């Protein structure tokens, strides 16, 4: 089934070649300026679908053109790699000890550690 955008695909591809970051809304705006009787905000979804398809096609072409053996890789960093990205000091390994904490709310002081242990369950 032919699309309303079929006659304009070459123009849209040209816009995307010049400005790859163009959004579907920007493309609809440009089309509605050139062809106000054909395009408006109602065509946003069909332009989104076209844009998605064009970008997918361009990405597949880029991946297909890239030779596998020529891809540069980053040099590995020295040391153990655990994936966390944390570079600070090692955390303590001992279990945390309970310490009574005092909290102040509206001028009243409460011992949180003891009140949490004796709070009625319900």
């Amino acid at each position: 089934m032919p699309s309303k955008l079929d006659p304009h695909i070459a123009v849209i591809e040209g816009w995307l070649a010049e400005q790859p970051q163009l959004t579907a809304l920007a493309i609809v705006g440009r089309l509605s300026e050139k062809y106000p009787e054909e395009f408006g905000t109602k065509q946003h979804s069909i332009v989104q679908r076209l844009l998605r398809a064009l970008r997918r096609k361009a990405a597949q072409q880029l991946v297909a053109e890239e030779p596998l053996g020529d891809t540069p890789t980053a040099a590995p960093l020295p040391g153990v790699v655990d994936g966390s990205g944390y570079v600070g000091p090692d955390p303590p390994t001992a279990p945390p000890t309970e310490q009574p904490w005092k909290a102040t709310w509206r001028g009243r002081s409460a011992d949180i550690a003891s009140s949490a242990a004796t709070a009625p369950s319900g």
Side-chain angles (χ1 to χ4, degrees):
M1 182 170 177
S3 169
K4 187 177 206 174
L5 294 173
D6 286 347
H8 309 287
I9 289 178
V11 173
I12 294 170
E13 286 176 333
W15 292 339
L16 289 171
E18 292 172 12
Q19 296 177 306
Q21 77 282 1
L22 275 178
T23 63
L25 198 55
I27 292 171
V28 168
R30 288 183 180 191
L31 288 171
S32 66
E33 286 175 7
K34 290 180 96 171
Y35 312 101
E37 65 285 347
E38 287 184 60
F39 293 98
T41 55
K42 290 181 180 181
Q43 283 73 36
H44 181 250
S45 62
I46 65 168
V47 173
Q48 278 182 320
R49 286 193 295 271
L50 173 68
L51 192 56
R52 191 176 302 121
L54 291 174
R55 288 187 172 150
R56 185 179 301 121
K57 179 182 166 187
Q60 288 171 346
Q61 286 176 346
L62 284 175
V63 170
E65 291 172 3
E66 182 68 32
L68 294 177
D70 296 340
T71 306
T73 58
L77 297 174
V80 177
V81 176
D82 66 356
S84 70
Y86 179 73
V87 294
D90 289 338
T93 55
T97 58
E98 279 196 37
Q99 297 180 1
W101 296 94
K102 296 278 186 180
T104 305
W105 183 68
R106 293 190 181 181
R108 296 182 180 170
S109 177
D111 186 356
I112 296 175
S114 63
S115 65
T118 59
S121 61

PDB file of all heavy atoms in Angstrom, residues 23-60:
ATOM      1  N   THR A  23      14.053  15.226  14.342  1.00  0.00           N
ATOM      2  CA  THR A  23      12.976  14.420  14.909  1.00  0.00           C
ATOM      3  C   THR A  23      11.821  14.334  13.912  1.00  0.00           C
ATOM      4  O   THR A  23      11.756  15.098  12.943  1.00  0.00           O
ATOM      5  CB  THR A  23      12.458  15.052  16.207  1.00  0.00           C
ATOM      6  OG1 THR A  23      11.894  16.337  15.908  1.00  0.00           O
ATOM      7  CG2 THR A  23      13.566  15.196  17.237  1.00  0.00           C
ATOM      8  N   ALA A  24      10.926  13.416  14.175  1.00  0.00           N
ATOM      9  CA  ALA A  24       9.746  13.264  13.323  1.00  0.00           C
ATOM     10  C   ALA A  24       8.904  14.539  13.349  1.00  0.00           C
ATOM     11  O   ALA A  24       8.360  14.956  12.318  1.00  0.00           O
ATOM     12  CB  ALA A  24       8.922  12.067  13.779  1.00  0.00           C
ATOM     13  N   LEU A  25       8.824  15.168  14.502  1.00  0.00           N
ATOM     14  CA  LEU A  25       8.048  16.403  14.620  1.00  0.00           C
ATOM     15  C   LEU A  25       8.655  17.513  13.764  1.00  0.00           C
ATOM     16  O   LEU A  25       7.930  18.270  13.110  1.00  0.00           O
ATOM     17  CB  LEU A  25       7.971  16.824  16.088  1.00  0.00           C
ATOM     18  CG  LEU A  25       6.898  17.810  16.467  1.00  0.00           C
ATOM     19  CD1 LEU A  25       5.525  17.316  16.060  1.00  0.00           C
ATOM     20  CD2 LEU A  25       6.934  18.072  17.957  1.00  0.00           C
ATOM     21  N   ALA A  26       9.979  17.609  13.732  1.00  0.00           N
ATOM     22  CA  ALA A  26      10.635  18.618  12.899  1.00  0.00           C
ATOM     23  C   ALA A  26      10.396  18.334  11.420  1.00  0.00           C
ATOM     24  O   ALA A  26      10.169  19.267  10.628  1.00  0.00           O
ATOM     25  CB  ALA A  26      12.127  18.654  13.203  1.00  0.00           C
ATOM     26  N   ILE A  27      10.426  17.067  11.049  1.00  0.00           N
ATOM     27  CA  ILE A  27      10.189  16.701   9.651  1.00  0.00           C
ATOM     28  C   ILE A  27       8.749  17.014   9.253  1.00  0.00           C
ATOM     29  O   ILE A  27       8.496  17.558   8.173  1.00  0.00           O
ATOM     30  CB  ILE A  27      10.542  15.220   9.413  1.00  0.00           C
ATOM     31  CG1 ILE A  27      12.053  15.027   9.559  1.00  0.00           C
ATOM     32  CG2 ILE A  27      10.066  14.752   8.046  1.00  0.00           C
ATOM     33  CD1 ILE A  27      12.506  13.590   9.571  1.00  0.00           C
ATOM     34  N   VAL A  28       7.799  16.699  10.123  1.00  0.00           N
ATOM     35  CA  VAL A  28       6.398  17.037   9.849  1.00  0.00           C
ATOM     36  C   VAL A  28       6.254  18.544   9.705  1.00  0.00           C
ATOM     37  O   VAL A  28       5.528  19.024   8.820  1.00  0.00           O
ATOM     38  CB  VAL A  28       5.466  16.497  10.966  1.00  0.00           C
ATOM     39  CG1 VAL A  28       4.079  17.081  10.846  1.00  0.00           C
ATOM     40  CG2 VAL A  28       5.405  15.001  10.924  1.00  0.00           C
ATOM     41  N   GLY A  29       6.940  19.298  10.541  1.00  0.00           N
ATOM     42  CA  GLY A  29       6.885  20.758  10.436  1.00  0.00           C
ATOM     43  C   GLY A  29       7.388  21.257   9.092  1.00  0.00           C
ATOM     44  O   GLY A  29       6.772  22.130   8.468  1.00  0.00           O
ATOM     45  N   ARG A  30       8.513  20.691   8.646  1.00  0.00           N
ATOM     46  CA  ARG A  30       9.056  21.091   7.347  1.00  0.00           C
ATOM     47  C   ARG A  30       8.109  20.703   6.204  1.00  0.00           C
ATOM     48  O   ARG A  30       7.918  21.479   5.263  1.00  0.00           O
ATOM     49  CB  ARG A  30      10.416  20.444   7.125  1.00  0.00           C
ATOM     50  CG  ARG A  30      11.504  21.030   7.994  1.00  0.00           C
ATOM     51  CD  ARG A  30      12.834  20.396   7.679  1.00  0.00           C
ATOM     52  NE  ARG A  30      13.885  20.948   8.513  1.00  0.00           N
ATOM     53  CZ  ARG A  30      15.172  20.731   8.301  1.00  0.00           C
ATOM     54  NH1 ARG A  30      15.566  19.980   7.286  1.00  0.00           N
ATOM     55  NH2 ARG A  30      16.074  21.261   9.108  1.00  0.00           N
ATOM     56  N   LEU A  31       7.549  19.505   6.290  1.00  0.00           N
ATOM     57  CA  LEU A  31       6.620  19.074   5.242  1.00  0.00           C
ATOM     58  C   LEU A  31       5.360  19.933   5.230  1.00  0.00           C
ATOM     59  O   LEU A  31       4.834  20.268   4.156  1.00  0.00           O
ATOM     60  CB  LEU A  31       6.251  17.602   5.428  1.00  0.00           C
ATOM     61  CG  LEU A  31       7.350  16.595   5.106  1.00  0.00           C
ATOM     62  CD1 LEU A  31       6.927  15.191   5.543  1.00  0.00           C
ATOM     63  CD2 LEU A  31       7.686  16.615   3.621  1.00  0.00           C
ATOM     64  N   SER A  32       4.861  20.310   6.403  1.00  0.00           N
ATOM     65  CA  SER A  32       3.642  21.117   6.452  1.00  0.00           C
ATOM     66  C   SER A  32       3.897  22.543   5.958  1.00  0.00           C
ATOM     67  O   SER A  32       2.976  23.194   5.446  1.00  0.00           O
ATOM     68  CB  SER A  32       3.052  21.132   7.857  1.00  0.00           C
ATOM     69  OG  SER A  32       3.911  21.786   8.754  1.00  0.00           O
ATOM     70  N   GLU A  33       5.151  23.027   6.079  1.00  0.00           N
ATOM     71  CA  GLU A  33       5.476  24.337   5.514  1.00  0.00           C
ATOM     72  C   GLU A  33       5.467  24.290   3.984  1.00  0.00           C
ATOM     73  O   GLU A  33       5.001  25.215   3.333  1.00  0.00           O
ATOM     74  CB  GLU A  33       6.853  24.803   5.994  1.00  0.00           C
ATOM     75  CG  GLU A  33       6.888  25.266   7.429  1.00  0.00           C
ATOM     76  CD  GLU A  33       8.305  25.612   7.893  1.00  0.00           C
ATOM     77  OE1 GLU A  33       9.240  25.620   7.058  1.00  0.00           O
ATOM     78  OE2 GLU A  33       8.467  25.860   9.097  1.00  0.00           O
ATOM     79  N   LYS A  34       6.014  23.191   3.434  1.00  0.00           N
ATOM     80  CA  LYS A  34       6.085  23.062   1.979  1.00  0.00           C
ATOM     81  C   LYS A  34       4.754  22.636   1.364  1.00  0.00           C
ATOM     82  O   LYS A  34       4.400  23.058   0.263  1.00  0.00           O
ATOM     83  CB  LYS A  34       7.167  22.050   1.588  1.00  0.00           C
ATOM     84  CG  LYS A  34       8.576  22.532   1.854  1.00  0.00           C
ATOM     85  CD  LYS A  34       9.579  21.492   1.441  1.00  0.00           C
ATOM     86  CE  LYS A  34      10.042  21.846   0.052  1.00  0.00           C
ATOM     87  NZ  LYS A  34      11.174  21.041  -0.418  1.00  0.00           N
ATOM     88  N   TYR A  35       4.033  21.760   2.076  1.00  0.00           N
ATOM     89  CA  TYR A  35       2.782  21.189   1.562  1.00  0.00           C
ATOM     90  C   TYR A  35       1.694  21.276   2.642  1.00  0.00           C
ATOM     91  O   TYR A  35       1.273  20.267   3.180  1.00  0.00           O
ATOM     92  CB  TYR A  35       2.990  19.725   1.153  1.00  0.00           C
ATOM     93  CG  TYR A  35       4.209  19.502   0.295  1.00  0.00           C
ATOM     94  CD1 TYR A  35       5.384  19.000   0.849  1.00  0.00           C
ATOM     95  CD2 TYR A  35       4.190  19.806  -1.065  1.00  0.00           C
ATOM     96  CE1 TYR A  35       6.506  18.787   0.063  1.00  0.00           C
ATOM     97  CE2 TYR A  35       5.310  19.598  -1.854  1.00  0.00           C
ATOM     98  CZ  TYR A  35       6.468  19.095  -1.279  1.00  0.00           C
ATOM     99  OH  TYR A  35       7.579  18.896  -2.058  1.00  0.00           O
ATOM    100  N   PRO A  36       1.198  22.479   2.923  1.00  0.00           N
ATOM    101  CA  PRO A  36       0.233  22.634   4.023  1.00  0.00           C
ATOM    102  C   PRO A  36      -1.081  21.892   3.797  1.00  0.00           C
ATOM    103  O   PRO A  36      -1.741  21.493   4.758  1.00  0.00           O
ATOM    104  CB  PRO A  36       0.007  24.144   4.110  1.00  0.00           C
ATOM    105  CG  PRO A  36       0.489  24.707   2.825  1.00  0.00           C
ATOM    106  CD  PRO A  36       1.503  23.749   2.271  1.00  0.00           C
ATOM    107  N   GLU A  37      -1.443  21.654   2.552  1.00  0.00           N
ATOM    108  CA  GLU A  37      -2.694  20.952   2.282  1.00  0.00           C
ATOM    109  C   GLU A  37      -2.562  19.451   2.491  1.00  0.00           C
ATOM    110  O   GLU A  37      -3.552  18.751   2.654  1.00  0.00           O
ATOM    111  CB  GLU A  37      -3.188  21.236   0.847  1.00  0.00           C
ATOM    112  CG  GLU A  37      -2.298  20.724  -0.268  1.00  0.00           C
ATOM    113  CD  GLU A  37      -1.020  21.532  -0.520  1.00  0.00           C
ATOM    114  OE1 GLU A  37      -0.898  22.658  -0.011  1.00  0.00           O
ATOM    115  OE2 GLU A  37      -0.139  21.010  -1.219  1.00  0.00           O
ATOM    116  N   GLU A  38      -1.314  18.926   2.525  1.00  0.00           N
ATOM    117  CA  GLU A  38      -1.097  17.489   2.673  1.00  0.00           C
ATOM    118  C   GLU A  38      -0.659  17.075   4.076  1.00  0.00           C
ATOM    119  O   GLU A  38      -0.964  15.967   4.508  1.00  0.00           O
ATOM    120  CB  GLU A  38      -0.008  17.021   1.698  1.00  0.00           C
ATOM    121  CG  GLU A  38      -0.414  16.974   0.252  1.00  0.00           C
ATOM    122  CD  GLU A  38       0.711  16.403  -0.592  1.00  0.00           C
ATOM    123  OE1 GLU A  38       1.114  15.254  -0.340  1.00  0.00           O
ATOM    124  OE2 GLU A  38       1.189  17.133  -1.483  1.00  0.00           O
ATOM    125  N   PHE A  39       0.090  17.953   4.749  1.00  0.00           N
ATOM    126  CA  PHE A  39       0.717  17.538   6.005  1.00  0.00           C
ATOM    127  C   PHE A  39       0.353  18.452   7.158  1.00  0.00           C
ATOM    128  O   PHE A  39       0.245  19.667   7.005  1.00  0.00           O
ATOM    129  CB  PHE A  39       2.246  17.496   5.853  1.00  0.00           C
ATOM    130  CG  PHE A  39       2.705  16.427   4.923  1.00  0.00           C
ATOM    131  CD1 PHE A  39       3.011  16.716   3.605  1.00  0.00           C
ATOM    132  CD2 PHE A  39       2.816  15.113   5.354  1.00  0.00           C
ATOM    133  CE1 PHE A  39       3.431  15.728   2.731  1.00  0.00           C
ATOM    134  CE2 PHE A  39       3.222  14.121   4.491  1.00  0.00           C
ATOM    135  CZ  PHE A  39       3.536  14.427   3.173  1.00  0.00           C
ATOM    136  N   GLY A  40       0.202  17.816   8.311  1.00  0.00           N
ATOM    137  CA  GLY A  40      -0.061  18.510   9.564  1.00  0.00           C
ATOM    138  C   GLY A  40       0.341  17.591  10.708  1.00  0.00           C
ATOM    139  O   GLY A  40       0.978  16.549  10.499  1.00  0.00           O
ATOM    140  N   THR A  41      -0.065  17.916  11.910  1.00  0.00           N
ATOM    141  CA  THR A  41       0.332  17.109  13.069  1.00  0.00           C
ATOM    142  C   THR A  41      -0.262  15.707  13.037  1.00  0.00           C
ATOM    143  O   THR A  41       0.246  14.807  13.688  1.00  0.00           O
ATOM    144  CB  THR A  41      -0.082  17.804  14.370  1.00  0.00           C
ATOM    145  OG1 THR A  41      -1.485  18.068  14.325  1.00  0.00           O
ATOM    146  CG2 THR A  41       0.682  19.102  14.564  1.00  0.00           C
ATOM    147  N   LYS A  42      -1.314  15.497  12.266  1.00  0.00           N
ATOM    148  CA  LYS A  42      -1.913  14.152  12.182  1.00  0.00           C
ATOM    149  C   LYS A  42      -0.960  13.147  11.525  1.00  0.00           C
ATOM    150  O   LYS A  42      -1.084  11.951  11.736  1.00  0.00           O
ATOM    151  CB  LYS A  42      -3.222  14.200  11.384  1.00  0.00           C
ATOM    152  CG  LYS A  42      -4.343  14.900  12.104  1.00  0.00           C
ATOM    153  CD  LYS A  42      -5.599  14.877  11.269  1.00  0.00           C
ATOM    154  CE  LYS A  42      -6.731  15.580  11.979  1.00  0.00           C
ATOM    155  NZ  LYS A  42      -7.970  15.533  11.189  1.00  0.00           N
ATOM    156  N   GLN A  43      -0.017  13.632  10.733  1.00  0.00           N
ATOM    157  CA  GLN A  43       0.906  12.741  10.041  1.00  0.00           C
ATOM    158  C   GLN A  43       2.156  12.422  10.879  1.00  0.00           C
ATOM    159  O   GLN A  43       3.075  11.775  10.412  1.00  0.00           O
ATOM    160  CB  GLN A  43       1.333  13.344   8.698  1.00  0.00           C
ATOM    161  CG  GLN A  43       0.275  13.218   7.625  1.00  0.00           C
ATOM    162  CD  GLN A  43      -0.898  14.158   7.839  1.00  0.00           C
ATOM    163  OE1 GLN A  43      -0.732  15.277   8.294  1.00  0.00           O
ATOM    164  NE2 GLN A  43      -2.093  13.701   7.517  1.00  0.00           N
ATOM    165  N   HIS A  44       2.182  12.865  12.103  1.00  0.00           N
ATOM    166  CA  HIS A  44       3.350  12.649  12.967  1.00  0.00           C
ATOM    167  C   HIS A  44       3.687  11.168  13.108  1.00  0.00           C
ATOM    168  O   HIS A  44       4.847  10.773  13.003  1.00  0.00           O
ATOM    169  CB  HIS A  44       3.105  13.286  14.336  1.00  0.00           C
ATOM    170  CG  HIS A  44       4.250  13.137  15.273  1.00  0.00           C
ATOM    171  ND1 HIS A  44       4.189  12.323  16.372  1.00  0.00           N
ATOM    172  CD2 HIS A  44       5.486  13.676  15.265  1.00  0.00           C
ATOM    173  CE1 HIS A  44       5.339  12.378  17.006  1.00  0.00           C
ATOM    174  NE2 HIS A  44       6.150  13.192  16.359  1.00  0.00           N
ATOM    175  N   SER A  45       2.694  10.321  13.302  1.00  0.00           N
ATOM    176  CA  SER A  45       2.967   8.904  13.536  1.00  0.00           C
ATOM    177  C   SER A  45       3.515   8.208  12.289  1.00  0.00           C
ATOM    178  O   SER A  45       4.403   7.358  12.397  1.00  0.00           O
ATOM    179  CB  SER A  45       1.724   8.176  14.044  1.00  0.00           C
ATOM    180  OG  SER A  45       0.690   8.231  13.094  1.00  0.00           O
ATOM    181  N   ILE A  46       3.035   8.579  11.102  1.00  0.00           N
ATOM    182  CA  ILE A  46       3.582   7.926   9.912  1.00  0.00           C
ATOM    183  C   ILE A  46       5.010   8.391   9.649  1.00  0.00           C
ATOM    184  O   ILE A  46       5.841   7.625   9.173  1.00  0.00           O
ATOM    185  CB  ILE A  46       2.686   8.097   8.656  1.00  0.00           C
ATOM    186  CG1 ILE A  46       2.582   9.548   8.218  1.00  0.00           C
ATOM    187  CG2 ILE A  46       1.346   7.484   8.845  1.00  0.00           C
ATOM    188  CD1 ILE A  46       1.955   9.742   6.843  1.00  0.00           C
ATOM    189  N   VAL A  47       5.299   9.640   9.983  1.00  0.00           N
ATOM    190  CA  VAL A  47       6.672  10.126   9.838  1.00  0.00           C
ATOM    191  C   VAL A  47       7.571   9.434  10.862  1.00  0.00           C
ATOM    192  O   VAL A  47       8.713   9.081  10.552  1.00  0.00           O
ATOM    193  CB  VAL A  47       6.734  11.665   9.969  1.00  0.00           C
ATOM    194  CG1 VAL A  47       8.167  12.158   9.979  1.00  0.00           C
ATOM    195  CG2 VAL A  47       5.969  12.321   8.825  1.00  0.00           C
ATOM    196  N   GLN A  48       7.055   9.198  12.069  1.00  0.00           N
ATOM    197  CA  GLN A  48       7.836   8.455  13.066  1.00  0.00           C
ATOM    198  C   GLN A  48       8.184   7.064  12.561  1.00  0.00           C
ATOM    199  O   GLN A  48       9.324   6.612  12.707  1.00  0.00           O
ATOM    200  CB  GLN A  48       7.051   8.331  14.372  1.00  0.00           C
ATOM    201  CG  GLN A  48       7.123   9.528  15.262  1.00  0.00           C
ATOM    202  CD  GLN A  48       6.358   9.286  16.549  1.00  0.00           C
ATOM    203  OE1 GLN A  48       5.272   8.694  16.551  1.00  0.00           O
ATOM    204  NE2 GLN A  48       6.920   9.740  17.648  1.00  0.00           N
ATOM    205  N   ARG A  49       7.217   6.366  11.995  1.00  0.00           N
ATOM    206  CA  ARG A  49       7.474   5.021  11.472  1.00  0.00           C
ATOM    207  C   ARG A  49       8.495   5.045  10.337  1.00  0.00           C
ATOM    208  O   ARG A  49       9.397   4.207  10.275  1.00  0.00           O
ATOM    209  CB  ARG A  49       6.165   4.373  11.009  1.00  0.00           C
ATOM    210  CG  ARG A  49       5.286   3.920  12.160  1.00  0.00           C
ATOM    211  CD  ARG A  49       4.157   3.017  11.677  1.00  0.00           C
ATOM    212  NE  ARG A  49       3.207   3.706  10.794  1.00  0.00           N
ATOM    213  CZ  ARG A  49       2.127   4.356  11.210  1.00  0.00           C
ATOM    214  NH1 ARG A  49       1.843   4.405  12.495  1.00  0.00           N
ATOM    215  NH2 ARG A  49       1.314   4.934  10.341  1.00  0.00           N
ATOM    216  N   LEU A  50       8.367   6.022   9.433  1.00  0.00           N
ATOM    217  CA  LEU A  50       9.324   6.143   8.345  1.00  0.00           C
ATOM    218  C   LEU A  50      10.722   6.438   8.885  1.00  0.00           C
ATOM    219  O   LEU A  50      11.707   5.831   8.462  1.00  0.00           O
ATOM    220  CB  LEU A  50       8.902   7.245   7.365  1.00  0.00           C
ATOM    221  CG  LEU A  50       9.926   7.564   6.270  1.00  0.00           C
ATOM    222  CD1 LEU A  50      10.054   6.387   5.299  1.00  0.00           C
ATOM    223  CD2 LEU A  50       9.566   8.837   5.550  1.00  0.00           C
ATOM    224  N   LEU A  51      10.805   7.354   9.825  1.00  0.00           N
ATOM    225  CA  LEU A  51      12.089   7.730  10.409  1.00  0.00           C
ATOM    226  C   LEU A  51      12.742   6.535  11.097  1.00  0.00           C
ATOM    227  O   LEU A  51      13.945   6.295  10.947  1.00  0.00           O
ATOM    228  CB  LEU A  51      11.870   8.881  11.399  1.00  0.00           C
ATOM    229  CG  LEU A  51      13.077   9.623  11.913  1.00  0.00           C
ATOM    230  CD1 LEU A  51      13.895  10.179  10.764  1.00  0.00           C
ATOM    231  CD2 LEU A  51      12.636  10.754  12.824  1.00  0.00           C
ATOM    232  N   ARG A  52      11.951   5.768  11.825  1.00  0.00           N
ATOM    233  CA  ARG A  52      12.466   4.565  12.493  1.00  0.00           C
ATOM    234  C   ARG A  52      13.019   3.580  11.457  1.00  0.00           C
ATOM    235  O   ARG A  52      14.099   3.026  11.622  1.00  0.00           O
ATOM    236  CB  ARG A  52      11.359   3.922  13.324  1.00  0.00           C
ATOM    237  CG  ARG A  52      11.827   2.841  14.255  1.00  0.00           C
ATOM    238  CD  ARG A  52      10.708   2.292  15.120  1.00  0.00           C
ATOM    239  NE  ARG A  52      10.073   3.329  15.931  1.00  0.00           N
ATOM    240  CZ  ARG A  52       8.779   3.643  15.872  1.00  0.00           C
ATOM    241  NH1 ARG A  52       7.959   2.975  15.091  1.00  0.00           N
ATOM    242  NH2 ARG A  52       8.283   4.591  16.634  1.00  0.00           N
ATOM    243  N   ALA A  53      12.284   3.395  10.367  1.00  0.00           N
ATOM    244  CA  ALA A  53      12.723   2.460   9.322  1.00  0.00           C
ATOM    245  C   ALA A  53      13.985   2.965   8.627  1.00  0.00           C
ATOM    246  O   ALA A  53      14.910   2.186   8.363  1.00  0.00           O
ATOM    247  CB  ALA A  53      11.602   2.257   8.303  1.00  0.00           C
ATOM    248  N   LEU A  54      14.046   4.262   8.328  1.00  0.00           N
ATOM    249  CA  LEU A  54      15.227   4.815   7.668  1.00  0.00           C
ATOM    250  C   LEU A  54      16.459   4.714   8.556  1.00  0.00           C
ATOM    251  O   LEU A  54      17.554   4.388   8.077  1.00  0.00           O
ATOM    252  CB  LEU A  54      14.981   6.275   7.264  1.00  0.00           C
ATOM    253  CG  LEU A  54      13.978   6.522   6.140  1.00  0.00           C
ATOM    254  CD1 LEU A  54      13.738   8.021   5.946  1.00  0.00           C
ATOM    255  CD2 LEU A  54      14.464   5.888   4.852  1.00  0.00           C
ATOM    256  N   ARG A  55      16.293   4.985   9.846  1.00  0.00           N
ATOM    257  CA  ARG A  55      17.438   4.898  10.767  1.00  0.00           C
ATOM    258  C   ARG A  55      17.881   3.452  10.971  1.00  0.00           C
ATOM    259  O   ARG A  55      19.074   3.171  11.072  1.00  0.00           O
ATOM    260  CB  ARG A  55      17.096   5.572  12.087  1.00  0.00           C
ATOM    261  CG  ARG A  55      17.057   7.082  11.927  1.00  0.00           C
ATOM    262  CD  ARG A  55      16.887   7.807  13.216  1.00  0.00           C
ATOM    263  NE  ARG A  55      17.042   9.245  12.992  1.00  0.00           N
ATOM    264  CZ  ARG A  55      16.435  10.180  13.688  1.00  0.00           C
ATOM    265  NH1 ARG A  55      15.649   9.842  14.689  1.00  0.00           N
ATOM    266  NH2 ARG A  55      16.628  11.451  13.417  1.00  0.00           N
ATOM    267  N   ARG A  56      16.949   2.538  11.023  1.00  0.00           N
ATOM    268  CA  ARG A  56      17.296   1.118  11.144  1.00  0.00           C
ATOM    269  C   ARG A  56      18.078   0.666   9.919  1.00  0.00           C
ATOM    270  O   ARG A  56      19.098  -0.014  10.025  1.00  0.00           O
ATOM    271  CB  ARG A  56      16.039   0.272  11.324  1.00  0.00           C
ATOM    272  CG  ARG A  56      16.329  -1.200  11.575  1.00  0.00           C
ATOM    273  CD  ARG A  56      15.067  -2.030  11.769  1.00  0.00           C
ATOM    274  NE  ARG A  56      14.280  -1.549  12.898  1.00  0.00           N
ATOM    275  CZ  ARG A  56      13.005  -1.131  12.796  1.00  0.00           C
ATOM    276  NH1 ARG A  56      12.383  -1.167  11.643  1.00  0.00           N
ATOM    277  NH2 ARG A  56      12.359  -0.723  13.858  1.00  0.00           N
ATOM    278  N   LYS A  57      17.609   1.084   8.738  1.00  0.00           N
ATOM    279  CA  LYS A  57      18.281   0.723   7.484  1.00  0.00           C
ATOM    280  C   LYS A  57      19.698   1.299   7.452  1.00  0.00           C
ATOM    281  O   LYS A  57      20.652   0.609   7.070  1.00  0.00           O
ATOM    282  CB  LYS A  57      17.455   1.245   6.310  1.00  0.00           C
ATOM    283  CG  LYS A  57      18.035   0.978   4.952  1.00  0.00           C
ATOM    284  CD  LYS A  57      17.131   1.583   3.887  1.00  0.00           C
ATOM    285  CE  LYS A  57      17.809   1.644   2.540  1.00  0.00           C
ATOM    286  NZ  LYS A  57      17.001   2.363   1.551  1.00  0.00           N
ATOM    287  N   ALA A  58      19.852   2.552   7.860  1.00  0.00           N
ATOM    288  CA  ALA A  58      21.169   3.189   7.867  1.00  0.00           C
ATOM    289  C   ALA A  58      22.108   2.494   8.851  1.00  0.00           C
ATOM    290  O   ALA A  58      23.288   2.281   8.554  1.00  0.00           O
ATOM    291  CB  ALA A  58      21.036   4.671   8.213  1.00  0.00           C
ATOM    292  N   ALA A  59      21.591   2.107  10.013  1.00  0.00           N
ATOM    293  CA  ALA A  59      22.412   1.416  11.010  1.00  0.00           C
ATOM    294  C   ALA A  59      22.850   0.051  10.493  1.00  0.00           C
ATOM    295  O   ALA A  59      24.002  -0.357  10.673  1.00  0.00           O
ATOM    296  CB  ALA A  59      21.641   1.271  12.317  1.00  0.00           C
ATOM    297  N   GLN A  60      21.956  -0.660   9.831  1.00  0.00           N
ATOM    298  CA  GLN A  60      22.301  -1.972   9.282  1.00  0.00           C
ATOM    299  C   GLN A  60      23.363  -1.841   8.193  1.00  0.00           C
ATOM    300  O   GLN A  60      24.273  -2.669   8.100  1.00  0.00           O
ATOM    301  CB  GLN A  60      21.049  -2.666   8.735  1.00  0.00           C
ATOM    302  CG  GLN A  60      20.117  -3.145   9.810  1.00  0.00           C
ATOM    303  CD  GLN A  60      18.777  -3.631   9.260  1.00  0.00           C
ATOM    304  OE1 GLN A  60      18.441  -3.392   8.119  1.00  0.00           O
ATOM    305  NE2 GLN A  60      18.013  -4.315  10.104  1.00  0.00           N
TER     306      GLN A  60
END
